[in-house]
Amino acid sequence: MTATSAAPRTLIQRVSNYLYVRPRVSLLMLLALPLLWFLIVYIGSLATLMVQSFFHLDGFTGQVVRQFSLSSYAQLFTPANVDIVQRTAGMAGVVTLSAALIAFPLAYFMARYASPRMRPLLYLSITLPLWSSYLVKVYSWKLILAKEGMVSWVINTLRLDAALDWLLGLPEIGGPSLSISPIGIYLVFLYVWLPYMILPIATALERVPKSLIEASGDLGGRPGVTFRRIILPLAFPGVVAGSIFTFSLTLGDFIVPSVMGNSSYFIGQAVLSHQGTSGNIPLAAAMTTIPMLIMGIYLYASRRAGAFDAL
Amino acid sequence: MPSKPRDPQAERAPWPISLGALLAVLFINFPIFIIFLYAFTTDEQTFTFPLPGMTLKWFGVAWGREDLWAALGLSVRVAGIATLVALLLGTLAAAAVSRTKFFGREAISFMLLLPIALPGIVTGIALRSAFGLFDIPFSFWTIVIGHATFCVVIVYNNVVARFRRTSWSIVEASMDLGANGWETFKRIILPHIATALLAGGMLAFALSFDEVIVTTFTAGQESTLPIWIFSQLTRPRDRPVTNVVALFVVLIMAIPILLAYRISQRDGETQLSR
């Protein structure tokens, strides 16, 4: 027996052995491609976005001036733009709260009461719509809420037209019909993001140990107390995890407001129109920093609340 | 006498919770059925309910539309290539993160999650501004780059979940028995993560096939199927055709989702949440 017979013969074997005993090198090889892609394509793009937000548009020529300036940021504080930000953040907040309220009973039912046969069916009935086409879901609400559509028909049959007219006549939230009004935008946002809220809450609730609930009962906690002091705090990270999606998705959406809305812009629409027709990428970039900033704070706070374990 | 222990599963829900759950499930599923109904309507100008009549005419009309076939073809090609890129990058990242503990490991998961955790317009306008700054013209590939970037995390989540249940001793055993790295990958690791890749790939495909927000910023003049539908939503010209397209999109997208769901039922760890 010579020493060489045990040595790897082919190149590929030698490379394999080399990598096997040097985990740092193999780690680097595994990480190289995804890391490069994300650093160049994603982080790189975000960096160019930041850089361009400090350029500005020349008022006379309509050309982008590649010099440092804060004028794009200054434009964010015009009343019209403040209005847009308030409208969008307000909608995101209301949609998130409503989604949490509607999602909780269902998630609670799934986690605690659904029989082993029923649970996968419930799960599927949320997962299928979640992954179903986003645009088709928006479109279906255009059909449902149309002036001559289903909801109007039901309201008409129930002779509640006066109530609908009163609702649509309200300032701020009303409009010519449900399918062209902030109420419509709210309903569609609530619908399309609701599954994102249900699943993390259900996951968090499933992790609450049965023994803990029983212990609370044994120690004299009535169901209401157990719910408030045991279940709710443990489900909270799930609610926060869900709210990251509902909040962020609402902040960055321009589809629903342009399909269901009137001329009052949301952040997404403003960004889209600045970069498109007027070619004002610096202003669009500066405007994008608002949802990024809001989400940055939100993500940081959620991380501290332990929400990432529930994702 | 000890009574039979109460089965916690047999516990009955209080009625407000059952009712709330039922209403939420109906709310989530009801609009999808509306799509099935309206594909058959005879109404060309409005969305009248109850339907004035039923017809199959619009299926034929939609079938003959060249622009629709072009949009569908583009969407399938984009989603296919974006999925392949996501499979490669997502699996590599998952292997790295599962294999060793290293500094910045958390930061990498976080970075992969960012494109879907940050608002969609952020990814869109960031890519748009980068393409603009470096004079990269919009093309098929600019769409693919955007899609691949936000699809990586879907594959990554699925493969990480699988690796978490994997004992690395099977890899060591394979190497001890004389297999080289490539053989170990082909005969041990790949079969082991195959269904996780399939599920992740299916979901990544579905995500890309349906994406419209980032695509709006990276497509230029090209029209994917979601962009076609969006243009119909804001300026309706072909309402009956759009009804039929909506029905088909629901049916097409159900296939990868149901497949991924079946895998998750069998393997128990597939990440179907986004």
Side-chain angles (χ1 to χ4, degrees):
Chain A
M1 190 96 136
T2 59
T4 45
S5 72
R9 277 170 297 258
T10 62
L11 180 67
I12 191 161
Q13 255 170 343
R14 259 180 279 163
V15 173
S16 305
N17 287 3
Y18 177 84
L19 289 178
Y20 191 80
V21 294
R22 285 172 186 78
R24 295 249 149 228
V25 179
S26 49
L27 177 69
L28 203 68
M29 285 181 67
L30 287 172
L31 271 180
L33 266 181
L35 212 55
L36 277 177
W37 180 285
F38 267 79
L39 288 179
I40 294 172
V41 173
Y42 193 64
I43 306 295
S45 297
L46 286 177
T48 59
L49 185 71
M50 287 296 100
V51 169
Q52 298 210 54
S53 71
F54 293 107
F55 296 164
H56 68 279
L57 204 68
D58 187 296
F60 293 106
T61 61
Q63 295 292 311
V64 173
V65 182
R66 294 188 176 184
Q67 271 170 353
F68 179 84
S69 126
L70 286 173
S71 78
S72 295
Y73 283 98
Q75 283 183 61
L76 294 182
F77 296 98
T78 58
N81 285 333
V82 170
D83 207 37
I84 289 175
V85 173
Q86 277 177 348
R87 181 178 303 119
T88 312
M91 180 63 82
V94 176
V95 166
T96 298
L97 275 180
S98 317
L101 282 178
I102 297 179
F104 204 93
L106 177 54
Y108 193 59
F109 185 89
M110 283 168 74
R112 198 152 169 220
Y113 299 112
S115 66
R117 277 180 58 192
M118 195 180 193
R119 198 180 303 225
L121 282 178
L122 274 175
Y123 190 62
L124 186 65
S125 76
I126 294 156
T127 313
L128 256 183
L130 166 69
W131 282 92
S132 193
S133 167
Y134 160 73
L135 279 164
V136 169
K137 284 185 282 190
V138 176
Y139 186 64
S140 73
W141 281 90
K142 199 77 184 162
L143 302 177
I144 294 169
L145 296 178
K147 211 176 180 68
E148 66 285 351
M150 185 170 288
V151 167
S152 298
W153 179 77
V154 171
I155 287 174
N156 193 264
T157 313
L158 297 173
R159 311 210 176 284
L160 290 171
D161 303 68
L164 180 63
D165 288 341
W166 172 79
L167 192 66
L168 289 174
L170 291 175
E172 301 294 321
I173 62 167
S177 81
L178 279 176
S179 64
I180 311 170
S181 66
I183 303 173
I185 299 178
Y186 162 77
L187 280 174
V188 179
F189 271 141
L190 180 61
Y191 174 74
V192 287
W193 310 142
L194 184 59
Y196 292 86
M197 185 63 98
I198 298 170
L199 293 177
I201 299 182
T203 309
L205 284 170
E206 270 165 29
R207 285 189 197 154
V208 178
K210 285 241 152 53
S211 55
L212 215 59
I213 296 169
E214 282 161 16
S216 167
D218 291 347
L219 292 169
R222 280 175 290 107
V225 176
T226 307
F227 181 79
R228 265 202 317 279
R229 300 193 41 187
I230 308 289
I231 296 171
L232 216 50
L234 287 170
F236 189 67
V239 179
V240 176
S243 75
I244 292 172
F245 285 98
T246 56
F247 204 82
S248 166
L249 289 165
T250 312
L251 279 185
D253 189 284
F254 58 81
I255 305 288
V256 176
S258 22
V259 173
M260 312 296 294
N262 43 31
S263 50
S264 313
Y265 267 12
F266 278 59
I267 292 178
Q269 290 166 290
V271 168
L272 185 66
S273 86
H274 287 314
Q275 65 88 33
T277 44
S278 52
N280 195 347
I281 290 193
L283 184 54
M287 200 160 231
T288 318
T289 56
I290 297 168
M292 278 170 77
L293 194 70
I294 296 176
M295 282 319 293
I297 297 168
Y298 207 110
L299 285 171
Y300 178 72
S302 329
R303 209 187 170 120
R304 299 201 58 178
F308 287 103
D309 312 328
L311 278 178
Chain B
M1 287 288 350
S3 61
K4 204 171 130 215
R6 205 159 56 100
D7 178 8
Q9 293 293 353
E11 205 180 345
R12 294 271 304 193
W15 71 264
I17 291 176
S18 309
L19 184 69
L22 181 71
L23 288 178
V25 168
L26 287 179
F27 177 61
I28 294 171
N29 285 276
F30 166 73
I32 310 283
F33 288 102
I34 301 302
I35 294 295
F36 282 75
L37 195 62
Y38 271 86
F40 300 97
T41 187
T42 49
D43 187 358
E44 290 178 43
Q45 298 304 322
T46 59
F47 300 127
T48 310
F49 185 88
L51 305 188
M54 306 276 270
T55 175
L56 288 171
K57 173 184 162 196
W58 301 110
F59 286 80
V61 176
W63 185 268
R65 288 282 295 263
E66 291 295 327
D67 57 334
L68 274 175
W69 285 107
L72 177 65
L74 179 64
S75 281
V76 170
R77 286 199 308 277
V78 167
I81 296 180
T83 302
L84 286 181
V85 176
L87 279 172
L88 176 70
L89 299 180
T91 310
L92 285 172
V97 164
S98 321
R99 176 71 203 274
T100 22
K101 283 193 160 41
F102 57 92
F103 180 74
R105 193 161 158 259
E106 297 245 310
I108 284 179
S109 327
F110 191 67
M111 184 172 73
L112 299 184
L113 181 71
L114 268 185
I116 57 169
L118 280 178
I121 46 161
V122 175
T123 309
I125 188 78
L127 289 169
R128 160 84 175 80
S129 77
F131 295 147
L133 198 66
F134 298 108
D135 288 322
I136 300 168
F138 294 120
S139 70
F140 173 78
W141 293 103
T142 52
I143 309 178
V144 170
I145 287 173
H147 284 207
T149 303
F150 60 71
C151 284
V152 170
V153 69
I154 305 285
V155 175
Y156 171 83
N157 280 344
N158 276 285
V159 180
V160 157
R162 177 64 51 88
F163 274 141
R164 205 174 284 147
R165 296 194 318 177
T166 306
S167 155
W168 282 98
S169 57
I170 58 169
V171 172
E172 281 162 18
S174 163
M175 301 287 269
D176 286 348
L177 290 169
N180 61 40
W182 170 243
E183 283 168 333
T184 304
F185 174 74
K186 199 175 64 179
R187 296 176 60 170
I188 306 292
I189 300 176
L190 200 56
H192 196 78
I193 62 171
T195 53
L197 287 179
L198 190 63
M202 287 289 161
L203 296 177
F205 188 93
L207 192 64
S208 162
F209 185 75
D210 190 42
E211 213 287 332
V212 64
I213 293 190
V214 176
T215 318
T216 308
F217 290 95
T218 58
Q221 298 301 314
E222 307 245 20
S223 178
T224 61
L225 197 56
I227 296 214
W228 188 91
I229 301 175
F230 181 48
S231 71
Q232 291 297 323
L233 274 169
T234 43
R235 284 180 302 279
R237 282 184 301 267
D238 309 296
R239 284 184 202 239
V241 174
T242 312
N243 293 339
V244 173
V245 170
L247 173 62
F248 271 97
V249 170
V250 168
L251 293 178
I252 293 173
M253 287 194 65
I255 299 168
I257 305 314
L258 286 173
L259 254 168
Y261 179 78
R262 272 202 57 175
I263 296 167
S264 83
Q265 287 306 99
R266 220 182 45 205
D267 298 348
E269 97 275 78
T270 303
Q271 307 290 306
L272 277 159
S273 57
R274 281 189 186 169

